Amino acid sequence: MADSQPFRPAGRADRAGRTLGSRQLAALLPDPAGMRPAYRHLAQAISALILDGRIALHVRLPAERELATALHTSRTTVTAVYDLLRESGYAHSRQGSGTWTALPEGRTPHGISRPLGPQDTAIDLARAAPGLPERALTEALSEVAPQLGAHAHTPGYHPYGLPELRAAIAERFTRRGLATVPEQILVTSGAQHALTLVLGLLCRPGDRIMVENPTYPNALDAMRRARLRTVSVPVTDTGWDIEIIESTLRQVVPQLAYLIPDFHNPTGCLMPEEERVRTLRAAQRSGSWLVIDETLADLALDVPAPPPFASHAAPPGRPLPERGRERGEGTGQLITLGSMSKTHWGGLRIGWLRASSRLVTELAGQRVATDMGGSVLDQLLALALLSRAGELLPPRLEELRAQRAALAAHAPSWTWQLPPGGLSLWVDLGVPLASALAGRVLDYGVRIEGGAYFATDPGLFEQRLRIPYTTTPDTLREAVRRMAVAVADGLPHSSATRRPHWVA
């Protein structure tokens, strides 16, 4: 077995934390002119930004004098703001090291383990994953049966993945604009498996890892199990703040950054091309690995499907030679994850990652210690379904558009930004009752997760729900009706509801 840490850059700085710039904070706050009292309005605005994840926890706030200058107000006002934040629990001070963001006691829920609950007949809105048309599956099974027989006389172990499937996935990347060869592909048991392998190879306990806030909860669980320290960057209804991403990569120098730039889960945002390029350049400067989750990239509903994130990468300061372009080199410390779970069916458990051929070899060596290789039958089915993507994907997208429209038309008086793709709405309830609502609506026959489950820190996004539109319009209408009845019946403003949790 090869050394499990061959890719760790030397001389990495271990920074203590981040400082929020005075201009960055001022840009998020209302103009204090005309407010009475100004300090109270500013403190309320900062606490709301913390609860919505737009200001990360455990970040040092600007010095009082600097923020007063940026806000064109007095230092006395800013001092009163910080005093009120400390009194209400949204900040604390360290002797000689400034004022840091925090959450009040009582907002952190107890017991964050998320075991799978028992099966029941509730409408399931906790798992944003579509089913597969029965006819497509039966036809694919008929197609692969003779091929499976041909494999029956072999050992059946393929730690890198079935060669034919690796070639098909590589060709898929090439068609999308990123030259790729099969040696750069590792087939895995879903994208979650791929991420776990990457974390196990590239990270050590205690390493810092940059993540979006909110983000995919199962990815966060994998990071926590690996004992990594997450450093969050916000994703709002309007997308990413690229300056915060750049400053985080510069100040924190994380070992790895995990991003979902294509129809982000759960917000549905699509990262603009310019911001992708700036993120790549910032990661190159910091020496951080980038792990890009593209499991939703094909689910473009209102815009063209984006090209691979890695297609924007090239060695700093020089173009690739022709041979390097042909082999898809030049993407440096960048790993792309993909899966069939969101576009086809999660029951296949087929995912993949694209990286340098050297890293793929290292990851395959690590993979053998856990599962030796994936199911040949599932991989043959995946190959058959991928070959019919041009036939299967367009009706799937039309179906999702209709379901999204049904959900948007019948949701109560909540607010959201209509996503250009993906599988869910990121709904703002207007009041912090999401966890209480998620617990209560089980009694009304609906399973859903509150926004806090998608947060990097407990207690955030209590006013948010992720509502997938992966079931029929009639079912969505009924689910929304039941949730509205639960709200009308009255809910406690509490985030400590105890119940089983699991999402996809």
Side-chain angles (χ1 to χ4, degrees):
M1 185 76 67
D3 175 19
S4 63
Q5 297 291 337
F7 292 96
R8 177 174 293 275
R12 301 289 296 275
D14 186 17
R15 307 294 179 88
R18 288 184 290 169
T19 299
L20 185 64
S22 57
R23 285 184 295 178
Q24 286 180 329
L25 180 54
L28 298 172
L29 296 175
D31 185 354
M35 292 180 175
R36 295 295 182 271
Y39 77 92
R40 189 172 297 277
H41 286 283
L42 291 171
Q44 289 173 348
I46 292 174
S47 62
L49 290 167
I50 291 171
L51 286 175
D52 201 31
R54 300 182 66 183
I55 297 177
L57 293 178
H58 320 302
V59 168
R60 183 166 52 198
L61 292 169
E64 294 175 0
R65 190 185 305 277
E66 294 176 1
L67 184 57
T69 300
L71 289 172
H72 306 291
T73 189
S74 69
R75 183 176 177 181
T76 303
T77 297
V78 175
T79 299
V81 170
Y82 284 9
D83 285 343
L84 188 55
L85 288 172
R86 283 187 287 266
E87 290 173 10
S88 56
Y90 288 97
H92 64 89
S93 295
R94 302 177 187 172
Q95 185 66 34
S97 63
T99 300
W100 299 71
T101 57
L103 276 181
E105 291 185 10
R107 281 198 173 268
T108 303
H110 300 288
I112 61 170
S113 62
R114 309 274 184 177
L116 174 61
Q119 294 293 323
D120 55 41
T121 58
I123 298 172
D124 191 350
L125 297 182
R127 301 165 201 175
L132 181 68
E134 182 178 344
R135 180 178 176 182
L137 181 59
T138 55
E139 289 178 353
L141 281 167
S142 299
E143 178 183 334
V144 305
Q147 302 171 36
L148 184 63
H151 281 271
H153 305 289
T154 72
Y157 294 113
H158 297 280
Y160 289 89
L162 205 63
E164 307 95 302
L165 182 56
R166 295 178 76 198
I169 295 169
E171 175 59 25
R172 178 179 177 274
F173 273 108
T174 300
R175 287 197 311 270
R176 294 176 59 216
L178 178 62
T180 304
V181 293
E183 291 79 7
Q184 293 175 282
I185 300 298
L186 179 68
V187 179
T188 61
S189 300
Q192 183 74 6
H193 179 213
L195 176 62
T196 302
L197 289 174
V198 169
L199 297 179
L201 180 67
L202 297 181
C203 300
R204 296 172 181 160
D207 277 350
R208 289 189 173 90
I209 182 167
M210 188 182 85
V211 295
E212 297 149 325
N213 192 26
T215 191
Y216 183 50
N218 295 332
L220 287 174
D221 282 345
M223 297 166 196
R224 291 171 183 136
R225 289 179 180 274
R227 293 183 291 167
L228 304 175
R229 293 182 289 173
T230 57
V231 180
S232 64
V233 293
V235 182
T236 68
D237 289 330
T238 56
W240 294 258
D241 188 322
I242 188 61
E243 291 185 358
I244 292 180
I245 290 177
E246 290 173 326
S247 66
T248 299
L249 288 167
R250 182 178 62 254
Q251 294 182 39
V252 177
V253 193
Q255 169 67 11
L256 183 148
Y258 170 78
L259 302 175
I260 312 173
D262 303 307
F263 315 120
H264 175 265
N265 186 2
T267 68
C269 294
L270 179 64
M271 183 181 282
E273 179 178 343
E274 179 186 354
E275 294 183 6
R276 296 171 185 242
V277 173
R278 289 177 63 178
T279 299
L280 279 162
R281 298 298 176 260
Q284 287 172 346
R285 288 191 295 269
S286 70
S288 302
W289 285 87
L290 277 180
V291 176
I292 304 299
D293 189 334
E294 291 189 347
T295 56
L296 295 163
D298 283 339
L299 299 177
L301 303 182
D302 301 328
V303 295
F309 191 99
S311 64
H312 301 290
R318 63 180 177 88
L320 278 176
E322 186 65 30
R323 184 176 179 184
R325 287 197 296 272
E326 290 174 357
R327 293 187 60 82
E329 297 169 358
T331 50
Q333 298 189 162
L334 198 158
I335 302 165
T336 303
L337 310 183
S339 170
M340 298 188 69
S341 297
K342 305 298 187 183
T343 54
H344 292 76
W345 185 41
L348 283 176
R349 303 313 310 138
I350 294 294
W352 54 82
L353 63 82
R354 180 199 184 276
S356 70
S357 57
R358 179 189 172 200
L359 183 61
V360 165
T361 299
E362 294 288 336
L363 289 166
Q366 175 157 309
R367 186 247 184 96
V368 169
T370 58
D371 72 351
M372 302 292 288
S375 160
V376 172
L377 174 57
D378 282 6
Q379 292 181 75
L380 288 172
L381 280 171
L383 182 61
L385 291 169
L386 284 176
S387 70
R388 298 175 56 194
E391 171 190 344
L392 295 174
L393 188 58
R396 165 61 52 83
L397 297 181
E398 282 301 318
E399 185 178 68
L400 288 173
R401 291 186 188 101
Q403 291 165 183
R404 182 186 61 175
L407 175 58
H410 291 85
S413 55
W414 302 332
T415 59
W416 61 85
Q417 293 288 332
L418 198 68
L423 295 173
S424 57
L425 296 185
W426 184 234
V427 171
D428 188 343
L429 304 177
V431 287
L433 51 74
S435 291
L437 174 60
R440 180 68 180 276
V441 295
L442 276 175
D443 297 333
Y444 293 74
V446 177
R447 182 189 294 109
I448 197 167
E449 280 297 344
Y453 191 29
F454 299 83
T456 56
D457 297 280
L460 306 180
F461 303 120
E462 272 299 322
Q463 77 281 19
R464 296 281 186 166
L465 282 179
R466 186 193 72 167
I467 309 182
Y469 40 83
T470 50
T471 187
T472 65
D474 286 344
T475 302
L476 287 169
R477 284 191 285 268
E478 176 62 18
V480 168
R481 185 192 69 80
R482 295 181 188 184
M483 288 191 287
V485 170
V487 172
D489 287 348
L491 296 168
H493 285 212
S494 170
S495 61
T497 305
R498 292 177 178 269
R499 59 192 182 85
H501 301 264
W502 186 50
V503 301

Coordinates of all heavy atoms in Angstrom, one line a residue, residues 299-367:
L299 N -28.8 18.8 -14.0 CA -30.2 19.1 -13.7 C -30.4 20.6 -14.0 O -30.9 21.3 -13.1 CB -30.5 18.7 -12.3 CG -30.4 17.2 -12.1 CD1 -30.7 16.9 -10.6 CD2 -31.3 16.4 -13.0
A300 N -30.1 21.1 -15.2 CA -30.3 22.5 -15.6 C -31.7 22.6 -16.1 O -32.0 22.1 -17.1 CB -29.2 22.9 -16.6
L301 N -32.5 23.4 -15.4 CA -33.9 23.6 -15.8 C -34.1 24.9 -16.6 O -35.0 24.9 -17.5 CB -34.7 23.6 -14.5 CG -34.6 22.4 -13.6 CD1 -35.6 22.5 -12.4 CD2 -34.9 21.1 -14.4
D302 N -33.4 26.0 -16.3 CA -33.7 27.2 -17.0 C -32.5 27.8 -17.7 O -32.6 28.9 -18.3 CB -34.2 28.3 -15.9 CG -35.4 27.8 -15.2 OD1 -36.3 27.1 -15.9 OD2 -35.6 28.2 -14.0
V303 N -31.3 27.1 -17.6 CA -30.1 27.6 -18.2 C -29.4 26.4 -18.8 O -29.7 25.3 -18.5 CB -29.2 28.2 -17.1 CG1 -29.8 29.5 -16.5 CG2 -28.9 27.2 -16.0
P304 N -28.4 26.7 -19.7 CA -27.6 25.6 -20.2 C -26.9 24.9 -19.1 O -26.4 25.5 -18.1 CB -26.7 26.2 -21.2 CG -27.3 27.6 -21.5 CD -28.0 28.0 -20.3
A305 N -26.7 23.6 -19.3 CA -25.9 22.8 -18.3 C -24.4 23.4 -18.3 O -23.8 23.6 -19.3 CB -25.8 21.3 -18.6
P306 N -23.9 23.7 -17.1 CA -22.5 24.3 -17.0 C -21.5 23.3 -17.4 O -21.6 22.1 -17.2 CB -22.4 24.7 -15.6 CG -23.3 23.7 -14.8 CD -24.5 23.4 -15.8
P307 N -20.3 23.8 -18.0 CA -19.2 22.9 -18.2 C -18.5 22.5 -16.9 O -18.8 23.1 -15.9 CB -18.3 23.8 -19.1 CG -18.6 25.2 -18.7 CD -20.1 25.2 -18.4
P308 N -17.7 21.5 -16.9 CA -17.0 21.1 -15.6 C -16.3 22.3 -15.0 O -15.6 23.1 -15.7 CB -16.1 20.0 -16.1 CG -16.7 19.4 -17.3 CD -17.3 20.6 -18.0
F309 N -16.3 22.4 -13.7 CA -15.6 23.4 -13.0 C -14.1 23.4 -13.4 O -13.4 24.4 -13.6 CB -15.8 23.2 -11.5 CG -15.3 24.3 -10.6 CD1 -16.2 25.2 -10.1 CD2 -13.9 24.4 -10.3 CE1 -15.7 26.3 -9.3 CE2 -13.5 25.4 -9.4 CZ -14.4 26.4 -9.0
A310 N -13.5 22.1 -13.5 CA -12.1 22.0 -13.7 C -11.7 22.4 -15.1 O -10.5 22.6 -15.4 CB -11.7 20.5 -13.5
S311 N -12.7 22.7 -16.0 CA -12.3 23.1 -17.4 C -11.8 24.5 -17.3 O -11.2 25.0 -18.3 CB -13.6 23.0 -18.3 OG -14.6 23.9 -17.9
H312 N -12.0 25.3 -16.2 CA -11.4 26.6 -16.1 C -10.0 26.6 -15.6 O -9.4 27.7 -15.4 CB -12.3 27.5 -15.2 CG -13.7 27.6 -15.7 ND1 -14.1 28.3 -16.8 CD2 -14.9 27.0 -15.2 CE1 -15.4 28.2 -17.0 NE2 -15.9 27.4 -16.0
A313 N -9.5 25.5 -15.2 CA -8.2 25.4 -14.6 C -7.1 25.2 -15.6 O -7.3 24.6 -16.7 CB -8.1 24.3 -13.6
A314 N -5.9 25.8 -15.3 CA -4.7 25.6 -16.1 C -3.5 25.9 -15.2 O -3.6 26.6 -14.2 CB -4.7 26.5 -17.3
P315 N -2.3 25.4 -15.5 CA -1.2 25.7 -14.6 C -1.0 27.2 -14.6 O -1.1 27.8 -15.6 CB 0.0 25.0 -15.4 CG -0.7 23.9 -16.2 CD -2.0 24.5 -16.6
P316 N -0.7 27.8 -13.4 CA -0.5 29.2 -13.3 C 0.6 29.7 -14.2 O 1.7 29.1 -14.1 CB -0.2 29.4 -11.8 CG -0.1 28.1 -11.2 CD -0.5 27.0 -12.2
G317 N 0.3 30.7 -15.0 CA 1.4 31.4 -15.7 C 1.8 30.8 -17.0 O 2.6 31.3 -17.7
R318 N 1.2 29.6 -17.4 CA 1.6 29.1 -18.7 C 0.5 28.2 -19.2 O -0.2 27.5 -18.5 CB 2.9 28.2 -18.6 CG 2.7 27.0 -17.7 CD 4.1 26.2 -17.6 NE 4.0 25.1 -16.7 CZ 3.6 23.9 -17.1 NH1 3.2 23.7 -18.3 NH2 3.5 22.9 -16.2
P319 N 0.3 28.2 -20.6 CA -0.7 27.3 -21.2 C -0.2 25.9 -21.2 O 1.0 25.6 -21.1 CB -0.9 27.9 -22.6 CG 0.5 28.5 -22.9 CD 1.0 29.0 -21.5
L320 N -1.2 25.0 -21.3 CA -0.8 23.6 -21.4 C -0.3 23.2 -22.8 O -0.8 23.7 -23.8 CB -2.1 22.7 -21.2 CG -2.5 22.4 -19.8 CD1 -3.8 21.6 -19.8 CD2 -1.4 21.6 -19.0
P321 N 0.7 22.3 -22.9 CA 1.1 21.8 -24.2 C -0.1 21.0 -24.8 O -1.0 20.5 -24.1 CB 2.3 21.0 -24.0 CG 2.2 20.6 -22.5 CD 1.5 21.8 -21.9
E322 N 0.0 20.7 -26.1 CA -1.1 20.0 -26.8 C -1.3 18.6 -26.1 O -2.5 18.2 -25.9 CB -0.8 19.8 -28.3 CG -1.9 19.2 -29.1 CD -3.1 20.1 -29.1 OE1 -3.0 21.4 -29.0 OE2 -4.3 19.6 -29.2
R323 N -0.3 17.9 -25.9 CA -0.4 16.6 -25.3 C -1.1 16.6 -23.9 O -1.9 15.8 -23.6 CB 1.0 15.9 -25.2 CG 0.9 14.4 -24.7 CD 2.2 13.8 -24.7 NE 2.1 12.4 -24.2 CZ 3.2 11.6 -24.1 NH1 4.4 12.0 -24.4 NH2 3.0 10.4 -23.6
G324 N -0.7 17.6 -23.1 CA -1.3 17.8 -21.8 C -2.8 18.1 -21.9 O -3.6 17.6 -21.1
R325 N -3.2 18.9 -22.9 CA -4.6 19.2 -23.1 C -5.4 17.9 -23.4 O -6.5 17.6 -23.0 CB -4.8 20.2 -24.1 CG -4.4 21.6 -23.7 CD -5.0 22.7 -24.6 NE -4.5 22.6 -25.9 CZ -3.4 23.2 -26.3 NH1 -2.7 24.0 -25.5 NH2 -3.0 23.1 -27.6
E326 N -4.8 17.1 -24.3 CA -5.4 15.8 -24.7 C -5.7 14.9 -23.5 O -6.7 14.2 -23.5 CB -4.6 15.1 -25.8 CG -4.5 15.9 -27.1 CD -3.5 15.2 -28.1 OE1 -2.8 14.2 -27.6 OE2 -3.4 15.7 -29.2
R327 N -4.8 14.9 -22.6 CA -4.9 14.0 -21.4 C -5.6 14.6 -20.3 O -5.7 14.0 -19.2 CB -3.5 13.5 -21.0 CG -2.8 12.6 -22.0 CD -1.6 12.0 -21.5 NE -1.8 11.2 -20.3 CZ -2.2 9.9 -20.3 NH1 -2.4 9.3 -21.5 NH2 -2.4 9.2 -19.2
G328 N -6.1 15.8 -20.4 CA -6.9 16.4 -19.4 C -6.0 16.8 -18.2 O -6.5 16.9 -17.0
E329 N -4.7 17.1 -18.4 CA -3.9 17.5 -17.3 C -4.1 19.0 -17.0 O -4.8 19.7 -17.7 CB -2.4 17.1 -17.6 CG -2.2 15.6 -17.8 CD -0.8 15.3 -18.4 OE1 -0.1 16.3 -18.6 OE2 -0.5 14.1 -18.6
G330 N -3.4 19.4 -16.0 CA -3.4 20.9 -15.7 C -4.4 21.3 -14.7 O -4.5 22.5 -14.4
T331 N -5.2 20.4 -14.2 CA -6.2 20.8 -13.2 C -5.6 20.7 -11.8 O -6.4 21.1 -10.8 CB -7.4 19.8 -13.3 OG1 -7.0 18.5 -13.3 CG2 -8.2 20.1 -14.6
G332 N -4.4 20.4 -11.6 CA -3.7 20.6 -10.3 C -4.4 19.8 -9.2 O -4.8 18.7 -9.3
Q333 N -4.5 20.5 -8.1 CA -5.1 19.9 -6.9 C -6.6 20.1 -6.9 O -7.2 20.8 -6.0 CB -4.4 20.6 -5.6 CG -2.9 20.3 -5.5 CD -2.3 20.7 -4.2 OE1 -1.3 20.3 -3.9 NE2 -3.0 21.6 -3.5
L334 N -7.2 19.5 -7.9 CA -8.7 19.6 -8.1 C -9.3 18.3 -8.3 O -8.8 17.5 -9.2 CB -8.9 20.6 -9.2 CG -10.3 21.2 -9.3 CD1 -10.3 22.5 -10.1 CD2 -11.3 20.2 -9.9
I335 N -10.3 17.9 -7.6 CA -11.0 16.7 -7.7 C -12.5 16.9 -7.9 O -13.1 17.8 -7.3 CB -10.8 15.8 -6.4 CG1 -9.3 15.6 -6.1 CG2 -11.6 14.5 -6.5 CD1 -9.1 15.1 -4.6
T336 N -13.0 16.2 -8.9 CA -14.4 16.4 -9.3 C -15.2 15.1 -8.9 O -14.8 14.0 -9.2 CB -14.6 16.7 -10.8 OG1 -13.8 17.8 -11.1 CG2 -16.0 16.9 -11.1
L337 N -16.3 15.3 -8.2 CA -17.2 14.2 -7.8 C -18.4 14.2 -8.6 O -19.0 15.3 -9.0 CB -17.6 14.3 -6.3 CG -16.5 14.6 -5.3 CD1 -17.1 14.6 -3.9 CD2 -15.4 13.5 -5.4
G338 N -18.9 13.0 -9.0 CA -20.1 12.9 -9.7 C -20.9 11.7 -9.3 O -20.4 10.8 -8.5
S339 N -22.2 11.6 -9.7 CA -23.0 10.5 -9.2 C -24.2 10.3 -10.2 O -24.6 11.3 -10.8 CB -23.5 10.8 -7.8 OG -24.5 9.9 -7.4
M340 N -24.8 9.1 -10.1 CA -26.1 8.9 -10.9 C -27.3 9.0 -10.0 O -28.4 8.8 -10.4 CB -26.0 7.5 -11.5 CG -24.9 7.4 -12.5 SD -25.0 5.8 -13.5 CE -26.5 6.1 -14.5
S341 N -27.1 9.3 -8.7 CA -28.2 9.3 -7.7 C -29.2 10.4 -8.0 O -30.4 10.1 -7.8 CB -27.6 9.4 -6.3 OG -26.8 8.4 -5.9
K342 N -28.8 11.5 -8.4 CA -29.7 12.7 -8.6 C -30.3 12.7 -10.0 O -31.4 13.2 -10.2 CB -29.0 14.0 -8.3 CG -28.4 14.1 -6.9 CD -29.4 13.9 -5.8 CE -28.7 14.2 -4.4 NZ -29.7 14.0 -3.3
T343 N -29.5 12.2 -11.0 CA -30.0 12.2 -12.4 C -30.7 11.0 -12.8 O -31.6 11.0 -13.7 CB -28.8 12.5 -13.3 OG1 -27.8 11.5 -13.1 CG2 -28.2 13.8 -13.1
H344 N -30.4 9.8 -12.2 CA -31.0 8.6 -12.6 C -31.7 7.9 -11.4 O -32.9 8.1 -11.2 CB -29.9 7.6 -13.1 CG -29.4 8.1 -14.5 ND1 -28.5 9.1 -14.6 CD2 -29.6 7.7 -15.7 CE1 -28.2 9.3 -15.9 NE2 -28.9 8.4 -16.6
W345 N -30.9 7.3 -10.5 CA -31.5 6.5 -9.4 C -30.5 6.3 -8.3 O -29.4 5.7 -8.6 CB -32.1 5.2 -9.9 CG -32.9 4.5 -8.8 CD1 -33.7 5.0 -7.9 CD2 -32.9 3.1 -8.7 NE1 -34.3 4.0 -7.1 CE2 -33.8 2.8 -7.6 CE3 -32.3 2.0 -9.3 CZ2 -34.0 1.5 -7.2 CZ3 -32.5 0.7 -8.9 CH2 -33.4 0.5 -7.8
G346 N -30.8 6.6 -7.0 CA -29.8 6.4 -6.0 C -29.7 4.9 -5.7 O -28.6 4.5 -5.1
G347 N -30.6 4.1 -6.1 CA -30.5 2.6 -5.8 C -29.4 2.0 -6.5 O -29.0 0.8 -6.1
L348 N -28.8 2.6 -7.5 CA -27.7 2.0 -8.2 C -26.4 2.1 -7.4 O -25.5 1.3 -7.6 CB -27.4 2.7 -9.6 CG -28.4 2.3 -10.7 CD1 -28.1 3.2 -11.9 CD2 -28.2 0.9 -11.1
R349 N -26.3 3.1 -6.6 CA -25.1 3.4 -5.8 C -23.8 3.4 -6.7 O -22.8 2.8 -6.5 CB -24.8 2.3 -4.7 CG -26.0 2.2 -3.7 CD -26.5 3.5 -3.2 NE -25.5 4.4 -2.7 CZ -25.5 5.7 -2.9 NH1 -26.4 6.3 -3.6 NH2 -24.5 6.4 -2.4
I350 N -23.9 4.3 -7.8 CA -22.8 4.5 -8.7 C -22.4 5.9 -8.7 O -23.2 6.8 -8.9 CB -23.1 4.0 -10.1 CG1 -23.4 2.5 -10.2 CG2 -22.0 4.4 -11.1 CD1 -22.1 1.7 -9.9
G351 N -21.2 6.2 -8.3 CA -20.6 7.5 -8.4 C -19.2 7.4 -8.9 O -18.7 6.3 -9.3
W352 N -18.5 8.6 -9.0 CA -17.2 8.6 -9.5 C -16.4 9.8 -9.1 O -17.0 10.8 -8.6 CB -17.2 8.5 -11.1 CG -18.0 9.6 -11.7 CD1 -17.6 10.9 -12.0 CD2 -19.3 9.5 -12.2 NE1 -18.7 11.6 -12.6 CE2 -19.7 10.7 -12.7 CE3 -20.2 8.4 -12.2 CZ2 -21.0 10.9 -13.3 CZ3 -21.5 8.6 -12.7 CH2 -21.9 9.9 -13.3
L353 N -15.1 9.8 -9.3 CA -14.3 11.0 -9.1 C -13.4 11.1 -10.3 O -12.9 10.1 -10.8 CB -13.6 11.1 -7.8 CG -12.6 10.0 -7.4 CD1 -11.2 10.3 -8.0 CD2 -12.5 9.9 -5.9
R354 N -13.0 12.4 -10.6 CA -12.0 12.6 -11.6 C -10.9 13.4 -11.0 O -11.1 14.4 -10.3 CB -12.6 13.5 -12.8 CG -11.6 13.8 -13.9 CD -12.0 15.0 -14.7 NE -11.1 15.3 -15.8 CZ -10.0 16.0 -15.7 NH1 -9.6 16.5 -14.5 NH2 -9.2 16.1 -16.7
A355 N -9.7 12.9 -11.2 CA -8.5 13.5 -10.6 C -7.3 13.1 -11.5 O -7.5 12.5 -12.5 CB -8.3 13.1 -9.2
S356 N -6.1 13.5 -11.1 CA -4.9 13.1 -11.8 C -4.8 11.6 -11.7 O -5.3 11.0 -10.7 CB -3.7 13.7 -11.2 OG -3.4 13.2 -9.9
S357 N -4.2 10.9 -12.7 CA -4.1 9.5 -12.7 C -3.3 9.0 -11.5 O -3.6 7.9 -10.9 CB -3.4 9.0 -14.0 OG -2.1 9.6 -14.2
R358 N -2.3 9.8 -11.0 CA -1.5 9.4 -9.8 C -2.4 9.4 -8.6 O -2.4 8.4 -7.8 CB -0.4 10.4 -9.6 CG 0.4 10.1 -8.4 CD 1.4 11.2 -8.1 NE 2.1 11.0 -6.8 CZ 2.7 11.9 -6.2 NH1 2.7 13.2 -6.6 NH2 3.3 11.7 -5.0
L359 N -3.3 10.4 -8.4 CA -4.1 10.4 -7.3 C -5.2 9.3 -7.3 O -5.5 8.7 -6.3 CB -4.8 11.8 -7.2 CG -5.7 12.0 -5.9 CD1 -4.9 11.9 -4.7 CD2 -6.4 13.3 -6.0
V360 N -5.7 9.0 -8.5 CA -6.6 7.9 -8.7 C -6.0 6.6 -8.2 O -6.7 5.8 -7.6 CB -7.1 7.9 -10.2 CG1 -7.8 6.5 -10.4 CG2 -8.1 9.0 -10.5
T361 N -4.8 6.4 -8.6 CA -4.1 5.2 -8.1 C -4.0 5.1 -6.6 O -4.2 4.1 -6.0 CB -2.7 5.1 -8.8 OG1 -2.8 5.1 -10.2 CG2 -1.9 3.9 -8.3
E362 N -3.7 6.2 -6.0 CA -3.6 6.3 -4.5 C -4.9 6.0 -3.9 O -5.1 5.3 -2.9 CB -3.1 7.6 -4.1 CG -1.6 7.9 -4.5 CD -0.6 7.1 -3.7 OE1 -1.0 6.7 -2.5 OE2 0.5 6.9 -4.2
L363 N -6.0 6.6 -4.5 CA -7.3 6.4 -3.9 C -7.8 5.0 -4.1 O -8.5 4.4 -3.2 CB -8.3 7.4 -4.5 CG -8.1 8.9 -4.1 CD1 -8.8 9.8 -5.1 CD2 -8.5 9.1 -2.7
A364 N -7.5 4.4 -5.2 CA -7.9 3.0 -5.5 C -7.2 2.1 -4.4 O -7.8 1.1 -4.0 CB -7.5 2.6 -6.9
G365 N -6.0 2.4 -4.1 CA -5.3 1.6 -3.1 C -6.0 1.7 -1.8 O -6.1 0.7 -1.0
Q366 N -6.4 2.9 -1.4 CA -7.1 3.1 -0.2 C -8.5 2.4 -0.2 O -9.0 1.9 0.8 CB -7.3 4.6 0.1 CG -8.1 4.9 1.4 CD -7.8 6.3 1.9 OE1 -6.7 6.6 2.1 NE2 -8.9 7.0 2.2
R367 N -9.1 2.5 -1.4 CA -10.5 1.9 -1.5 C -10.5 0.4 -1.2 O -11.5 -0.1 -0.7 CB -11.0 2.2 -2.9 CG -12.4 1.8 -3.2 CD -12.6 0.7 -4.2 NE -14.0 0.4 -4.4 CZ -14.6 0.9 -5.5 NH1 -14.0 1.7 -6.3 NH2 -15.9 0.7 -5.7

